[in-house]
Amino acid sequence: MAQKAAPSPEPAPAKDDPLVLIVDDDAGMREAVVDLLQSVGIEGRAFGSTAELLAAAVPDRPGCLILDVRLPGLGGLEFQTRLDSLGIALPIVFMTGFADVPMSVRAMKAGATDFLIKPFRDQDMLDAVDAALARDRSRRSQRAATMTVESLAATLTPREREVMAEVVKGRLNKQIAGDLGISEVTVKLHRGKVMRKMQVRSVADLVRKVEVLDHEE
């Protein structure tokens, strides 16, 4: 009798596959949300408390956090503040069965993407997760663009940075030369190097990249 072939292992998630973290002390709710997400092809990982989540090894993937308000130990709203203090910009979808207006206002003002009242419709949760994932992908894309510009700017010499700062102000080569105490020919040389190193073809493009740096600062 022929033996059945062992099932092949499932492929590991790609780094761009979303991962949704769920924190709720109700095991039934955790399981229901994980199953709901799985039904639309989204991986969910559930935790019974914020302490469990903090102790877990979470991969760096696009995602969001579905967070109950009332939890053992550190509650949902306090955990939101904790994440902010740690510089963790993970979009949060709150859920609770004991909501009031001040609670929801506080959560939304602090940056939550949605605030759902239990019991919620499956579609409401899926819509909230979609919005949160879109926000996180946008943040990651912006951060990647910023890091690219920062790496280009890091190749500039101090003098080239000075020239770049004057160029984006709209200053002419002659004016820059006078301000920096160098010849106009030298300004042109530095200006050409700046354009090449920053990988731009026009002053307008250079201005946009410098704005990215200024915004990050």
Side-chain angles (χ1 to χ4, degrees):
M1 182 176 177
Q3 294 183 343
K4 292 183 178 180
S8 57
E10 294 185 4
K15 66 177 182 178
D16 292 330
D17 288 345
L19 173 63
V20 177
L21 309 173
I22 304 108
V23 183
D24 195 311
D25 58 345
D26 183 336
M29 177 59 70
R30 295 198 300 270
E31 183 178 350
V33 175
V34 169
D35 288 345
L36 175 63
L37 295 172
Q38 189 175 29
S39 72
V40 294
I42 299 175
E43 181 183 353
R45 294 188 189 178
F47 305 88
S49 68
T50 52
E52 285 185 21
L53 174 56
L54 287 174
V58 178
D60 183 20
R61 286 160 53 188
C64 68
L65 173 62
I66 299 175
L67 185 62
D68 193 17
V69 172
R70 295 192 176 184
L71 293 165
L74 197 63
L77 295 175
E78 291 74 23
F79 190 61
Q80 181 185 33
T81 302
R82 174 76 176 277
L83 291 179
D84 184 62
S85 69
L86 294 173
I88 300 175
L90 191 64
I92 298 176
V93 175
F94 277 104
M95 57 181 179
T96 183
F98 309 95
D100 54 41
V101 173
M103 183 187 295
S104 59
V105 169
R106 174 183 169 186
M108 298 303 288
K109 281 188 174 181
T113 59
D114 214 329
F115 198 99
L116 303 179
I117 308 300
K118 299 176 183 177
F120 45 78
R121 294 171 57 248
D122 287 353
Q123 192 58 51
D124 289 340
M125 175 59 78
L126 293 176
D127 289 345
V129 168
D130 280 344
L133 292 178
R135 177 187 289 189
D136 194 51
R137 287 192 180 98
S138 176
R139 178 189 65 83
R140 288 170 174 271
S141 177
Q142 291 173 2
R143 180 55 187 154
T146 298
M147 291 178 66
T148 298
V149 175
E150 288 175 342
S151 67
L152 295 176
T155 66
L156 300 177
T157 66
R159 177 64 82 186
E160 288 165 356
R161 282 180 171 271
E162 290 178 335
V163 170
M164 180 173 71
E166 295 298 318
V167 169
V168 297
K169 292 177 185 177
R171 306 278 287 173
L172 301 175
N173 290 343
K174 184 176 181 179
Q175 295 171 316
I176 297 173
D179 291 341
L180 299 183
I182 56 180
S183 71
E184 191 171 347
V185 172
T186 301
V187 170
K188 290 180 180 179
L189 290 174
H190 285 311
R191 184 169 182 153
K193 290 180 180 179
V194 167
M195 301 295 279
R196 286 193 299 275
K197 289 183 178 181
M198 294 300 290
Q199 298 181 7
V200 294
R201 295 185 177 182
S202 68
V203 173
D205 289 339
L206 182 62
V207 169
R208 281 190 285 271
K209 287 194 172 181
V210 171
E211 286 176 346
V212 170
L213 295 173
D214 292 342
H215 177 73
E216 186 66 15
E217 295 174 355

